């Protein structure tokens, strides 16, 4: 009976010279945890969805895992922050039309007592002091953009992190790592946006910031339709165009947590 009613309704619409509205297919977005944990996506995605009558399905993982999902054709577009890996992703033919989107910065946070004495210094000196003091450090340990940058800093500082007393590889998202570092009273590298969103939940303080080496850019990349013909490439390109347009960039700039701007427009 229900099927008959639906068919009858469709026939009546056709006889009236109208057709039922058909929404655009869902867009599958794989993105770093910082865009989710900070609240940015909750603020800007509804604007895109309303404009294009579509729904964005978000998969929030580390940047490395996000690009792996793109490589396998399990998503349509990725929004990540690991520039060297993004370039490799495109060069290998897995992604197309990469665009700069926005930026913020990394910071080193830790207990207010600052047992390693890193406050106010630069990132490499801070990493050396943390290692020498054996004060403990909680790493993402998840192949994320933040984890990749942490590894770069340890190497540049001439330190093997696995040998540091109290070094913990969590294999967790940024918000969970901050909660873990607060509970264990250890240091951590984090993006500023996620820290600000979680600040009230932790006792961690910003101890190192402002070093040019802590610059944190984000890029958006469409998955290559030549490798995965079934993906929603049209939706991916609409998202990229919107995100890097004046409207999308304004939405990013307008996002605030406790009155603080956490992401800055970076589209060229």
């Amino acid at each position: 009976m229900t099927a008959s009613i639906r068919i009858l309704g469709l026939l009546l619409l056709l006889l009236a010279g109208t057709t039922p509205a058909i929404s655009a297919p869902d867009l599958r977005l794989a993105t770093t945890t910082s865009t989710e944990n900070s609240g940015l996506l909750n603020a800007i995605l509804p604007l895109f969805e309303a404009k294009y009558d579509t729904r964005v399905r978000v998969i929030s993982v580390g940047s490395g895992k996000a690009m792996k999902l793109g490589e396998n054709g399990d998503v349509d577009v990725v929004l990540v922050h690991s520039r060297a890996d993004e370039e490799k992703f495109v060069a290998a033919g897995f992604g197309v039309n990469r665009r700069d989107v926005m930026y913020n910065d990394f910071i080193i946070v830790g207990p207010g007592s600052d047992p390693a004495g890193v406050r106010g210094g630069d990132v490499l000196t801070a990493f050396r002091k943390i290692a020498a003091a054996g004060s403990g450090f909680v790493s993402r340990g998840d192949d994320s953009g933040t984890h990749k940058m942490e590894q770069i800093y340890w190497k540049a500082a001439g330190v093997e992190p696995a040998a540091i007393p109290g070094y913990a590889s969590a294999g967790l998202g940024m918000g969970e790592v901050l909660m873990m570092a607060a509970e264990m009273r250890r240091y951590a590298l984090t993006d500023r946006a996620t820290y600000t969103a979680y600040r009230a939940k932790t006792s961690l303080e910003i101890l190192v910031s402002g070093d040019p080496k802590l610059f944190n850019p984000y890029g958006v990349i469409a998955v290559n339709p030549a490798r995965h013909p079934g993906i929603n490439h049209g939706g991916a390109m609409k998202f990229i165009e919107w995100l890097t347009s004046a409207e999308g960039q304004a939405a990013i700039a307008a996002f605030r947590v406790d009155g603080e701007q956490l992401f800055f427009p970076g589209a060229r």
Side-chain angles (χ1 to χ4, degrees):
M1 178 66 71
T2 302
S4 299
I5 293 173
R6 288 176 179 169
I7 293 171
L8 178 60
L10 181 59
L11 288 172
L12 290 173
L13 285 170
L14 292 172
L15 289 172
T18 60
T19 56
I22 300 176
S23 297
D26 289 354
L27 179 67
R28 300 168 302 167
L29 167 67
T31 184
T32 175
T33 60
S34 60
T35 58
E36 176 92 64
N37 289 345
S38 64
L40 174 70
L41 296 183
N42 287 337
I44 69 173
L45 288 185
L47 303 176
F48 172 79
E49 291 174 323
K51 182 169 184 174
Y52 291 100
D53 190 24
T54 190
R55 183 170 71 107
V56 180
R57 291 163 50 196
V58 176
I59 302 174
S60 176
V61 290
S63 290
K65 292 179 181 178
M67 283 183 273
K68 189 64 178 178
L69 289 169
E71 179 181 330
N72 294 336
D74 294 325
V75 295
D76 307 303
V77 62
V78 299
L79 175 61
V80 290
H81 65 142
S82 185
R83 184 59 182 267
D85 292 315
E86 293 167 39
E87 292 175 350
K88 291 177 184 177
F89 181 76
V90 173
F94 297 120
V96 294
N97 297 307
R98 186 205 169 277
R99 309 272 183 89
D100 292 327
V101 176
M102 59 190 181
Y103 65 90
N104 58 14
D105 64 339
F106 291 112
I107 53 178
I108 296 176
V109 297
S113 59
D114 187 19
V118 305
R119 191 187 301 272
D122 64 272
V123 61
L124 299 187
T125 300
F127 270 45
R128 293 186 189 107
K129 286 184 174 182
I130 291 168
S135 306
F137 187 97
V138 182
S139 168
R140 286 281 296 270
D142 63 349
D143 198 36
S144 62
T146 304
H147 182 217
K148 292 289 184 68
M149 286 307 301
E150 178 208 323
Q151 292 176 311
I152 289 171
Y153 297 146
W154 285 124
K155 184 175 181 180
V159 176
E160 174 51 55
I164 300 172
Y167 182 87
S169 182
L172 298 171
M174 195 70 255
E176 295 166 300
V177 164
L178 288 173
M179 297 297 289
M180 184 174 171
E183 182 177 346
M184 300 175 74
R185 297 189 60 77
R186 295 182 181 179
Y187 295 92
L189 178 74
T190 176
D191 64 283
R192 187 183 294 270
T194 305
Y195 167 76
T196 302
Y198 276 72
R199 180 166 45 200
K201 303 176 185 178
T202 76
S203 57
L204 300 173
E205 296 184 11
I206 298 176
L207 300 174
V208 177
S209 65
D211 186 331
K213 291 184 177 66
L214 293 168
F215 181 65
N216 182 29
Y218 290 74
V220 64
I221 314 169
V223 173
N224 190 349
R227 283 187 177 262
H228 302 287
I231 64 171
N232 182 6
H233 183 64
M237 288 310 301
K238 285 180 181 178
F239 180 68
I240 290 173
E241 294 294 341
W242 180 82
L243 197 62
T244 57
S245 70
E247 180 183 356
Q249 294 285 282
I252 290 169
F255 175 66
R256 300 284 197 281
V257 172
D258 296 333
E260 181 178 349
Q261 183 176 350
L262 300 183
F263 296 93
F264 297 84
R268 297 178 181 177

